[in-house]
Amino acid sequence: CPGSGANNRETRMFISTMITTDITLGQLADIDPGVPRSSEEDMVKFLQFRATASLGNDEGLFENKLSSSESFHATISNPQLYMQPGAFDKALLFYLNFKTAYAIFNDDRQKLNVETVTATENIQKPVEFTR
């Protein structure tokens, strides 16, 4: 019965999850050209990030008195960032190389655009309509 209140209990779902991440940025070393390179041992690590993230709405997990099943709590604990000395140099060289290549590409594209517009204007002739 809808009005009796006996089955009117609110159902809540509590969720708790923990994710551990380990992200590595590196370059595969060219040890032997004939062997496929896919193992982590062949990688020269430049940057590494580790962290543990927790997400949940379980009231028992958090010390906040205002927590409820309608709010989620996200925390990141123990974030660690390891950077090799050569990583900054590699990143700077990569950026400068990309910037130079993009500038050359953009100049070539603009020159081609001017040539295309000029060629199109030379081909098009005004069309006169007579009655």
Side-chain angles (χ1 to χ4, degrees):
C1 296
S4 68
N7 292 330
N8 239 359
R9 298 183 77 187
E10 186 177 320
T11 304
R12 293 184 182 183
M13 180 173 20
F14 293 104
I15 298 171
S16 175
T17 181
M18 183 178 286
I19 301 169
T20 303
T21 60
D22 188 5
I23 301 171
T24 304
L25 177 66
Q27 180 178 7
L28 291 174
D30 193 13
I31 296 171
D32 188 6
V35 178
R37 304 174 307 169
S38 63
S39 66
E40 191 172 319
E41 294 88 25
D42 296 342
M43 183 165 41
V44 179
K45 297 177 183 175
F46 294 119
L47 185 74
Q48 192 169 17
F49 176 74
R50 292 179 181 169
T52 302
S54 302
L55 177 69
N57 67 343
D58 189 359
E59 294 172 357
L61 290 177
F62 303 100
E63 297 154 6
N64 186 359
K65 301 295 182 191
L66 300 174
S67 65
S68 69
S69 64
E70 297 168 356
S71 63
F72 282 91
H73 303 275
T75 58
I76 296 179
S77 60
N78 201 16
Q80 300 170 351
L81 181 66
Y82 302 104
M83 188 166 138
Q84 297 295 328
F88 182 75
D89 297 340
K90 290 254 186 195
L92 184 62
L93 289 174
F94 177 77
Y95 170 74
L96 291 174
N97 188 18
F98 176 77
K99 183 179 173 187
T100 304
Y102 181 74
I104 292 170
F105 166 76
N106 204 17
D107 289 342
D108 290 346
R109 187 177 58 86
Q110 287 177 350
K111 288 176 188 174
L112 181 63
N113 190 24
V114 169
E115 292 173 5
T116 304
V117 168
T118 305
T120 304
E121 288 174 353
N122 290 339
I123 292 174
Q124 291 178 346
K125 295 180 182 176
V127 177
E128 296 180 17
F129 293 103
T130 57
R131 289 185 182 201

